[in-house]
């Protein structure tokens, strides 16, 4: 698996310096012919054309990746502000999450994902923090998400205005209608999404699995028509087997990937051997039910994550479907 983070601010600043005129070179031309006892030292080591070309290619790719998110904060008539590469989580244990992930098979091309929202999973009335969870969507699939959610309010609109956005927000927070809306979006749009989990305290796969299976079982009992067949029971067994593992220490990374067909793939990075694919469950109802655990219903795994995701969605639907900023200023 390949997970690449955005370029750092220092790297971007480095590019800016490369694009500045070579002051020393200009001075040399101006003073050529004058005699000096010793030459002035160069301001920086010059780079060869191939290196400059590669750095410029990286810079262009970097801002292209960031351009889609830029449209969500850019207002008409305003210059877009510089976008931070990370988002604060609200806990000092895992202080930030990357805004952009590039994810893909080891031998395949990476797919870029944008952060929709994040929050902290807590348990008990004491609010004990368990993990930080963030939901990402493939950049190329954002337009499909936009269109699907906008159509829930207006079948012919390409964007939502203020009052319509509030109607959509009410749907997404409604204990019953949110199940219908998000269930339809997950099932019909084929959007590629990721759930990134990083524990704030030592936990284990069994703890995570048991929380999901309880939630999935509860949903299945409420809808036996869709979830009551033998194939779903087999898929539940595959999920339990997949998470029949040991500990997940604080700060390690667990990724749940929902592909276009709804297949749930699980990746884990123990910090020693790199991210490893643990396995997959083909039945899309499993991943859909896990995702709904964070998106819909009266009670979700992290209310903070749900609110953050809804706010992220609101930024998308206020823009015309498929709109991408053609230029990003920093």
């Amino acid at each position: 698996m390949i997970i690449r983070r955005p370029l750092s601010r220092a790297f971007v600043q480095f590019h800016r310096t490369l694009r500045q005129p070579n002051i020393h070179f200009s001075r040399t031309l101006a003073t050529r012919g004058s005699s000096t006892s010793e030459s002035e030292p160069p301001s920086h080591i010059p780079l060869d054309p191939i290196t400059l070309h590669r750095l410029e290619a990286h810079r262009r790719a970097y801002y292209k990746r960031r351009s889609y998110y830029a449209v969500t904060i850019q207002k008409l008539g305003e210059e877009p502000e510089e976008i931070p590469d990370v988002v604060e989580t609200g806990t000092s244990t895992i202080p930030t999450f990357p805004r952009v992930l590039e994810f893909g098979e080891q031998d395949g091309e990476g797919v870029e994902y944008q952060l929709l929202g994040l929050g902290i999973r807590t348990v008990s009335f004491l609010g004990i923090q368990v993990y930080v969870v963030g939901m990402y969507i493939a950049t190329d699939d954002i337009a499909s998400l936009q269109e699907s959610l906008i159509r829930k309010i207006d079948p012919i609109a390409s964007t939502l205005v203020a009052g319509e956005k509030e109607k959509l927000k009410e749907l997404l927070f409604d204990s019953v209608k949110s199940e219908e809306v998000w269930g339809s979006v997950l099932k019909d749009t084929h959007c590629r999404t990721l759930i990134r989990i990083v524990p704030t305290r030592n936990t284990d796969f069994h703890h995570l699995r048991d929380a999901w299976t309880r939630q999935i079982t509860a949903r299945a009992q409420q809808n036996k028509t869709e979830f009551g067949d033998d194939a779903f029971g087999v898929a539940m067994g595959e999920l339990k087997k997949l998470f029949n593992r040991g500990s997940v220490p604080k700060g390690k990374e667990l990724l749940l990937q929902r592909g276009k067909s709804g297949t749930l793939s699980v990746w884990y990075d123990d910090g020693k051997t790199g991210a490893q694919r643990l396995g997959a469950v083909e039945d899309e109802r499993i991943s859909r039910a896990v995702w709904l655990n964070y998106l819909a219903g009266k009670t979700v795994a992290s209310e903070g994550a749900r609110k953050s995701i809804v706010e992220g969605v609101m930024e998308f639907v206020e823009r015309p479907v498929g709109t991408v900023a053609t230029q990003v200023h920093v």
Side-chain angles (χ1 to χ4, degrees):
M1 176 184 66
I2 303 171
I3 302 179
R4 289 195 287 271
R5 307 298 193 257
L7 303 180
S8 65
R9 291 174 182 269
F11 191 78
V12 175
Q13 184 62 34
F14 177 63
H15 282 297
R16 291 176 179 170
T17 62
L18 292 180
R19 298 172 68 85
Q20 297 298 321
N22 191 323
I23 299 175
H24 170 66
F25 182 69
S26 301
R27 288 176 178 173
T28 302
L29 290 177
T31 59
R32 181 175 293 177
S34 62
S35 59
T36 55
S37 58
E38 59 182 5
S39 61
E40 186 178 344
S43 58
H44 59 75
I45 300 175
L47 298 177
D48 61 271
I50 294 178
T51 301
L52 287 172
H53 175 75
R54 288 175 177 172
L55 290 174
E56 178 65 15
H58 280 297
R59 186 186 72 85
R60 290 178 181 274
Y62 173 58
Y63 290 120
K64 182 179 179 181
R65 291 199 306 269
R66 286 173 46 170
S67 64
Y68 206 113
Y69 191 87
V71 305
T72 67
I73 64 170
Q74 181 182 359
K75 307 299 181 183
L76 292 176
E78 296 181 1
E79 291 292 331
E81 300 177 359
E82 182 176 356
I83 307 166
D85 297 333
V86 295
V87 178
E88 295 184 357
T89 63
T91 175
S92 59
T93 309
I94 310 295
T96 61
F97 258 36
R99 191 180 294 278
V100 177
L101 287 179
E102 192 166 333
F103 177 91
E105 300 291 340
Q106 186 65 42
D107 298 328
E109 184 178 354
V111 176
E112 179 186 282
Y113 287 79
Q114 302 274 356
L115 182 65
L116 269 177
L118 56 78
I120 302 172
R121 161 71 170 168
T122 60
V123 295
S124 86
F125 68 94
L126 297 175
I128 299 173
Q129 296 181 354
V130 181
Y131 58 77
V132 181
V133 57
M135 184 168 291
Y136 293 77
I137 180 169
T139 302
D140 291 342
D141 296 338
I142 291 177
S144 295
L145 176 65
Q146 284 180 287
E147 183 176 10
S148 178
L149 290 173
I150 289 172
R151 297 294 186 268
K152 303 297 181 185
I153 302 301
D154 189 332
I156 62 173
S158 61
T159 186
L160 297 183
V161 297
E164 294 170 329
K165 285 173 57 181
E166 288 303 315
K167 291 181 180 179
L168 177 60
K169 184 180 291 188
E170 291 176 4
L171 287 179
L172 297 180
F173 281 119
D174 187 272
S175 60
V176 176
K177 295 179 181 179
S178 61
E179 294 264 0
E180 300 173 359
V181 172
W182 280 117
S184 173
V185 169
L186 291 169
K187 188 176 181 180
D188 300 333
T189 62
H190 307 290
C191 291
R192 293 162 293 177
T193 49
L194 295 174
I195 290 179
R196 182 176 188 258
I197 293 173
V198 181
T200 58
R201 60 195 300 117
N202 294 336
T203 185
D204 56 59
F205 284 96
H206 290 169
H207 174 84
L208 297 170
R209 178 197 66 187
D210 292 345
W212 291 326
T213 54
R214 284 195 300 269
Q215 174 268 330
I216 294 174
T217 301
R219 277 193 165 83
Q221 291 176 347
Q222 295 174 2
N223 188 357
K224 294 184 179 181
T225 301
E226 183 174 8
F227 298 98
D229 60 300
D230 294 338
F232 184 75
V234 172
M236 281 290 290
E238 294 174 354
L239 177 67
K240 293 178 181 179
K241 183 179 180 180
L242 182 58
F243 281 86
N244 188 24
R245 302 174 186 273
S247 64
V248 183
K250 178 178 68 175
K252 304 308 178 185
E253 184 178 25
L254 179 67
L255 281 174
L256 309 181
Q257 178 191 26
R258 179 178 163 90
K260 281 185 173 293
S261 63
T263 297
L264 171 65
S265 299
V266 181
W267 300 77
Y268 175 62
D269 188 348
D270 61 4
K272 300 177 183 178
T273 59
Q276 302 294 321
R277 188 175 186 270
L278 303 183
V281 180
E282 297 290 339
D283 194 321
E284 75 85 21
R285 292 174 293 182
I286 296 296
S287 63
R288 179 162 32 114
V290 172
W291 263 236
L292 289 175
N293 187 39
Y294 297 95
L295 295 171
K298 183 178 180 180
T299 304
V300 291
S302 169
E303 188 59 41
R306 170 157 67 174
K307 291 179 180 178
S308 178
I309 292 168
V310 170
E311 291 302 319
V313 164
M314 291 302 107
E315 298 287 355
F316 284 148
V317 298
E318 70 179 8
R319 305 290 302 184
V321 173
T323 299
V324 179
T326 57
Q327 184 177 8
V328 179
H329 303 276
V330 293

